[in-house]
Amino acid sequence: MVVAGSGFGGGGMPNMKNFAVQILTGPWLMVFGSLLIMSAAGATYIFSLYSTDIKTSLGYDQTTLNLLSFFKDLGTNVGVLAGLIAEVTPPWFVLSVGAVLNFFGYFMIWLAVTKRIATPQVWHMCLYICIGANSQSFANTGSLVTCVKNFPESRGVVLGILKGYVGLSGAIITQLYLAFYGDDSKALILLIGWLPAAISLCFVRTIRMMKVAHQDNELKVFYKFLYISLGLASFLMIIIIVEKKFVFTGPEYGGSAAMVLFLLFLPLGVVIIEEYKLWEAKNRALNDPSPLKIVTEKSSSELSKENTEVPSSSSTAKILANNESSNDEANVSCWKTAFKTPNRGEDYTILQALFSLDMFILFLATTCGVGGTLTAIDNLGQIGTSLGYPKRSISTFVSLVSIWNYLGRVSSGFVSEIFLTKYKFPRPLMLTLIMLFSCVGHLLIAFGVPGGLYIASVIIGFCFGAQWPLLFAIISEIFGLKYYSTLYNFGSVASPIGSYILNVKVAGNLYDKEAKKQLTALGIVRKAGEDLDCNGVECFKLSFIIITAATVFGTVVSFLLTLRTKKFYKSDIYKKFREELKAAEMEMMTAGDVIRLSEIKAAENDIHNPKEKATENDVEPTIKAR
């Protein structure tokens, strides 16, 4: 990724032009673009804000509304098609397809709810929301998976920060919608139709696969993004509390939205600073004659002996042998190798991963854990109404879920990476603990504890968010990155399955049963096309007791995966990527490249440590003469 330029001595305009090219083609702008795409990709998490409009406008009962919610979750998480497309097409194509699907799906729902078209049949609405929600899997595959592949040694951190912005997107979109449209919740459907599509189209040429050399300060840069996102989450939390206490006017909503936009674009400053450091380092490497002298005067054999960073011939031969064996396996039918699983951490084929016992266990645990928390999130509006909370409180619950969803994603990504690196703490064990903790939130809803829905929103939002980075990191670590686009999306399929069982079949049916019982007790006959409402603790009590039991079962299954992978997580799971990078560096040197990756890294370190640079220059001639 060396950008050739005139260095520091070619004049201001050429240098600025080269610097602009560095920003546009560098890795950090790609990360920034992914952050913005993710910040608008969680529209499905605010379904409860506009679900009441769908229910009243189209005359649905709770079972029908939950069926619609299931197809939303189905579209969101069944992204296998997006993964398969990503295996054979570049990220820009995946993002473009997602933008088209997003706008079409939600625009049709908006037309139906606002009566601009004839009332569609239920299966039409299910199709529309499934198409609109499926765009999220294209956004995830096009941007998030690309970032993970570009930064494989920081995958937990990358998943945490990007998935964190997805979790925060609900609160972000809510603030923007209040500023743009006021309290018109029907207009919210239109907003989530055009905004995510517009952002994806803006960055279709920025998000791409890149050969990114691991940088020493890579983790520090991601921490800067984390701190900014924490500031954004804190501001959203404060503004939500203030909005609950006071009635905001249009200009006040506009001011809060402007602050949200400022914090969303603040990472762009980090991008400019970091790309400037890389640009300056490359210019130093290009203009400093001493590194050129090392490469041109010494043979490749001498370099391989002196450079301790270059891997030994045995490790390089091992990498080459693995590549040859993978090529041989590629010529064999994938069905013949489907049940011949390689060691954990190696690159599984798609069928090897799908038929492995580890994937089955992980899939079953996720079905129970994510399915239960997603059922609670999708029904927050109806839960709050049945328990007698005011409408403003219900929007507060949704925002709380969004913010704590973000905190759960970020925390699990960063904390699991730190614990794994320092203490070899297995990610499946952390997933087990998170699922167990979510049972507290389910029980608070089941027994209708006074004011408990606020606490339950926090717990469920945190646990729902925390499970996703762990799930995707575990998949990448156990089954490899070669077919990660497809396997990533397959892991998401567990969510709609759990949602259908626990949301539609359990919560929806039991809610309607209780509502009909209340109508019968009052002597009221429900008219055709009239929505069905239930009041009291009993509406969701039995449902969430069943959901708690299912989550406990998922916790036990997840602990089984912890026992199976304990030895694997005690090993150095990132060793493979370091060896491949060193082999690539040696290949560059033996090919006669003038600038080596190690020299560029050294130049970059000199920018951060100018005193050390001076000391090295004093002794460098002696080293060369040796």
Side-chain angles (χ1 to χ4, degrees):
M1 281 182 24
V2 177
V3 180
S6 55
F8 296 97
M13 187 61 68
N15 278 343
M16 290 307 297
K17 182 179 179 180
N18 291 337
F19 179 47
V21 171
Q22 171 67 35
I23 294 176
L24 293 174
T25 60
W28 296 117
L29 185 65
M30 178 203 63
V31 175
F32 171 71
S34 298
L35 291 178
L36 283 190
I37 291 173
M38 294 294 99
S39 68
T44 53
Y45 300 133
I46 56 176
F47 176 73
S48 55
L49 283 183
Y50 59 87
S51 60
T52 303
D53 289 311
I54 296 176
K55 186 177 182 180
T56 55
S57 297
L58 303 178
Y60 291 162
D61 57 18
Q62 190 63 30
T63 300
T64 305
L65 186 65
N66 283 7
L67 180 65
L68 203 66
S69 175
F70 160 72
F71 276 94
K72 168 188 68 69
D73 298 332
L74 183 71
T76 302
N77 297 289
V78 180
V80 176
L81 177 62
L84 293 174
I85 291 175
E87 299 288 357
V88 295
T89 61
W92 68 263
F93 182 81
V94 177
L95 292 173
S96 300
V97 172
V100 173
L101 294 177
N102 185 88
F103 181 77
F104 172 78
Y106 286 110
F107 184 67
M108 294 303 296
I109 295 173
W110 177 75
L111 291 176
V113 171
T114 56
K115 303 296 183 180
R116 284 175 166 81
I117 60 175
T119 301
Q121 298 182 28
V122 173
W123 74 267
H124 287 157
M125 291 295 292
C126 291
L127 179 63
Y128 295 151
I129 200 167
C130 186
I131 291 173
N134 191 243
S135 65
Q136 184 175 325
S137 65
F138 281 84
N140 283 332
T141 305
S143 58
L144 188 146
V145 172
T146 303
C147 278
V148 170
K149 289 186 175 182
N150 287 339
F151 298 95
E153 292 187 54
S154 302
R155 68 186 71 180
V157 173
V158 171
L159 285 166
I161 191 70
L162 291 179
K163 276 296 183 180
Y165 269 85
V166 175
L168 210 55
S169 63
I172 293 171
I173 293 175
T174 301
Q175 293 301 314
L176 296 180
Y177 126 76
L178 290 172
F180 293 161
Y181 302 109
D183 202 22
D184 183 7
S185 55
K186 292 180 181 178
L188 174 61
I189 303 173
L190 180 61
L191 178 67
I192 60 180
W194 68 263
L195 183 60
I199 294 175
S200 292
L201 292 177
C202 287
F203 289 99
V204 288
R205 301 304 297 170
T206 304
I207 312 297
R208 65 201 187 281
M209 294 299 300
M210 306 172 70
K211 296 292 184 181
V212 181
H214 180 73
Q215 303 170 31
D216 294 334
N217 70 330
E218 185 177 286
L219 192 59
K220 293 181 180 178
V221 179
F222 282 113
Y223 270 112
K224 292 177 183 177
F225 291 136
L226 170 65
Y227 299 146
I228 293 173
S229 67
L230 286 172
L232 175 60
S234 301
F235 172 77
L236 287 169
M237 176 70 81
I238 293 170
I239 203 66
I240 288 168
I241 295 173
V242 174
E243 288 173 354
K244 185 175 181 296
K245 297 292 183 181
F246 305 98
V247 178
F248 270 36
T249 61
E252 290 168 337
Y253 279 128
S256 66
M259 188 64 185
V260 169
L261 290 174
F262 170 75
L263 292 171
L264 276 176
F265 282 87
L266 191 57
L268 188 59
V270 177
V271 171
I272 295 173
I273 292 172
E274 294 303 323
E275 291 297 347
Y276 178 77
K277 292 176 181 178
L278 289 175
W279 177 69
E280 192 176 21
K282 291 168 185 176
N283 279 330
R284 283 182 181 273
L286 287 169
N287 292 318
D288 188 356
S290 55
L292 299 175
K293 202 170 185 179
I294 296 175
V295 177
T296 55
E297 289 186 356
K298 293 190 177 183
S299 64
S300 58
S301 59
E302 291 173 327
L303 282 170
S304 61
K305 290 179 181 179
E306 293 184 2
N307 193 342
T308 57
E309 293 295 320
V310 178
S312 64
S313 58
S314 60
S315 62
T316 305
K318 184 179 179 181
I319 295 172
L320 295 174
N322 289 336
N323 291 335
E324 290 177 0
S325 63
S326 64
N327 291 334
D328 293 338
E329 289 179 0
N331 297 325
V332 180
S333 173
C334 57
W335 291 101
K336 292 183 179 180
T337 61
F339 296 99
K340 298 178 180 179
T341 57
N343 295 327
R344 295 187 180 98
E346 300 297 328
D347 289 323
Y348 282 55
T349 66
I350 295 174
L351 292 179
Q352 284 174 339
L354 297 186
F355 289 124
S356 69
L357 183 58
D358 288 340
M359 179 64 85
F360 174 76
I361 294 173
L362 185 61
F363 190 88
L364 183 59
T366 306
T367 300
C368 298
V370 175
T373 51
L374 190 57
T375 299
I377 292 172
D378 285 343
N379 288 281
L380 266 181
Q382 286 70 40
I383 293 171
T385 302
S386 66
L387 295 177
Y389 288 90
K391 188 174 181 180
R392 288 178 62 190
S393 294
I394 293 173
S395 63
T396 301
F397 298 146
V398 174
S399 296
L400 282 173
V401 166
S402 180
I403 291 172
W404 284 92
N405 183 6
Y406 152 79
L407 290 173
R409 292 167 188 255
V410 168
S411 299
S412 66
F414 278 81
V415 173
S416 66
E417 191 73 27
I418 293 171
F419 276 38
L420 177 63
T421 304
K422 290 188 176 181
Y423 310 111
K424 303 295 183 182
F425 192 89
R427 288 195 217 265
L429 180 57
M430 185 165 289
L431 178 63
T432 304
L433 297 176
I434 292 295
M435 291 175 62
L436 186 62
F437 182 48
S438 68
C439 294
V440 178
H442 297 321
L443 292 174
L444 287 173
I445 295 174
F447 295 101
V449 179
L453 197 52
Y454 290 98
I455 302 173
S457 300
V458 170
I459 295 174
I460 289 173
F462 180 86
C463 293
F464 176 76
Q467 292 177 71
W468 288 113
L470 293 173
L471 168 66
F472 297 136
I474 291 169
I475 289 175
S476 70
E477 288 161 353
I478 295 179
F479 306 111
L481 289 174
K482 187 174 182 180
Y483 297 103
Y484 186 54
S485 295
T486 302
L487 297 179
Y488 166 93
N489 286 289
F490 177 78
S492 303
V493 175
S495 178
I497 293 177
S499 176
Y500 180 76
I501 296 172
L502 299 176
N503 194 2
V504 179
K505 292 300 183 182
V506 176
N509 285 331
L510 292 177
Y511 178 95
D512 286 343
K513 183 179 179 181
E514 180 63 27
K516 290 176 182 177
K517 185 190 298 184
Q518 292 181 5
L519 287 178
T520 303
L522 296 173
I524 301 174
V525 178
R526 184 193 176 208
K527 298 178 182 178
E530 187 178 33
D531 61 319
L532 191 60
D533 294 322
C534 177
N535 296 301
V537 178
E538 297 298 325
C539 299
F540 287 98
K541 183 175 183 178
L542 181 58
S543 302
F544 277 88
I545 290 175
I546 295 172
I547 289 171
T548 302
T551 305
V552 171
F553 173 74
T555 302
V556 174
V557 173
S558 178
F559 185 69
L560 178 61
L561 181 64
T562 302
L563 297 178
R564 287 177 55 85
T565 58
K566 182 179 179 181
K567 183 178 180 181
F568 168 70
Y569 277 100
K570 290 297 181 182
S571 63
D572 186 0
I573 64 175
Y574 292 152
K575 181 180 179 181
K576 170 187 173 183
F577 300 100
R578 288 195 296 270
E579 289 183 347
E580 289 177 351
L581 179 60
K582 291 177 181 179
E585 290 182 11
M586 188 182 73
E587 185 179 349
M588 289 176 64
M589 289 186 292
T590 55
D593 285 346
V594 177
I595 304 296
R596 297 197 308 264
L597 286 174
S598 57
E599 294 166 345
I600 295 175
K601 288 181 185 177
E604 182 184 0
N605 290 333
D606 294 339
I607 296 172
H608 300 296
N609 304 293
K611 292 182 180 180
E612 294 181 10
K613 169 72 176 176
T615 305
E616 290 174 2
N617 287 339
D618 292 340
V619 299
E620 197 170 10
T622 306
I623 297 175
K624 289 177 195 167
R626 183 165 50 90

